[in-house]
Amino acid sequence: MKVRKAVIPAAGFGTRFLPVTKAMAKEMLPIVDKPTVQFIVEEALASGIEEVLVITGKGKRSIEDHFDSNFELEECLRKKGKNELLQLVEETTKINLHFVRQSHPLGLGDAVLQARAFVGDEPFVVMLGDDLMTDTTPLTKQLMDNYQKTHASTIAVMKVPRNEVSSYGVIKPDGKVDDRLYNVASFVEKPKPEDAPSDLAIIGRYLLTPEIFKVLQHQKPGAGDEVQLTDAIDELNKTQRVFAYEFRGKRYDVGDKFGFLKTSIEYGLGHKEVQGNLKNYIVKLGKELEAGKVK
Ligand code: G1P
């Protein structure tokens, strides 16, 4: 069966970015000029996904507005002949998005459960907004291509430094199927480094069969007292095979302050409007730092 649907959970409080996220959706924080959620939606479309559901919550209306048309703005840009900007604005409205609200933020597992009616009886992908990936083939597409061979749920993982494993879901691998694909003995959410079964961490792309909903429906809260998607995947793995797929491209963690800054700088270096000035600035700043002129 073809994978056609994607789910983007975007209901979290964004506590790691307070105070800016007190009255602003963290998914709308811009990388230079594009909200992080737009990168995710673009990855879905570039992968051949046809329908996208965003799980929102309180204070997230700006995400819906961002992907809706803004007639006054478009008219204004048209009259002023600002065609390039008009094109940028119009592009955001061409995407077929659906929205559902998670009324109580009970955790990622519960957020994904809100997608049950939208997904129906099809395999689907879950794309977390904190992880931006670059590679010639989008990671979502890599998972979808892999599904055509395995017809099984597959979770993207990546090697991370041992001391960082407690920020992630971690797999206990059970042998390799091929160069990138692992059988998995178990999935553990946010283990302590000393208890972690490996350094292969779950990054935010999941291809799941619809049976996950039957598990999520009864899933009890786990780490952080939240209903964890990782726990439900571990349960699913007991009744049907779930693979882990090792991603080797570049990942940007925009859910972390330092990761967000790095992403902004690297994206800026590829952005034709600012790249020249930014490069000169970084070189100059580097020299000043070395000379001890900047602390
Ligand atoms: C979530 C998942 C975790 C995963 C991580 C990837 O955690 O629960 O398993 O490794 O995303 O970014 P969060 O970052 O929401 O705490």
Side-chain angles (χ1 to χ4, degrees), residues 16 26 108 128 130-131 167-170 188-190 201-204 206 226 228-230 251 253:
R16 277 184 274 180
K26 79 165 176 179
L108 180 59
L128 302 190
D130 285 348
D131 297 286
S167 304
Y168 298 93
V170 176
V188 192
E189 180 67 6
K190 307 215 167 79
I202 297 174
I203 50 173
Y206 309 72
E226 292 185 357
Q228 295 292 353
L229 182 59
T230 304
R251 165 180 176 259
D253 181 3

Side-chain angles (χ1 to χ4, degrees), residues 56-123:
T56 66
K58 198 171 163 7
K60 302 284 183 162
R61 193 150 296 156
S62 55
I63 304 177
E64 292 179 51
D65 288 343
H66 179 71
F67 292 105
D68 195 0
S69 61
N70 182 334
F71 180 72
E72 290 85 355
L73 174 65
E74 286 161 34
E75 265 311 291
C76 173
L77 293 172
R78 197 167 289 125
K79 273 188 197 143
K80 289 185 177 164
K82 297 195 169 177
N83 295 329
E84 259 186 55
L85 288 179
L86 181 63
Q87 209 184 332
L88 283 180
V89 168
E90 282 178 341
E91 259 166 33
T92 58
T93 65
K94 286 181 188 150
I95 300 159
N96 189 15
L97 282 188
H98 307 261
F99 295 90
V100 67
R101 281 168 78 103
Q102 181 193 26
S103 37
H104 301 287
L106 301 177
L108 180 59
D110 179 71
V112 172
L113 183 58
Q114 311 306 313
R116 190 174 199 170
F118 165 81
V119 169
D121 201 21
E122 298 181 28

Side-chain angles (χ1 to χ4, degrees), residues 124-141:
F124 66 108
V125 291
V126 174
M127 307 173 75
L128 302 190
D130 285 348
D131 297 286
L132 304 188
M133 258 65 78
T134 55
D135 203 353
T136 37
T137 309
L139 176 53
T140 298
K141 173 85 168 55

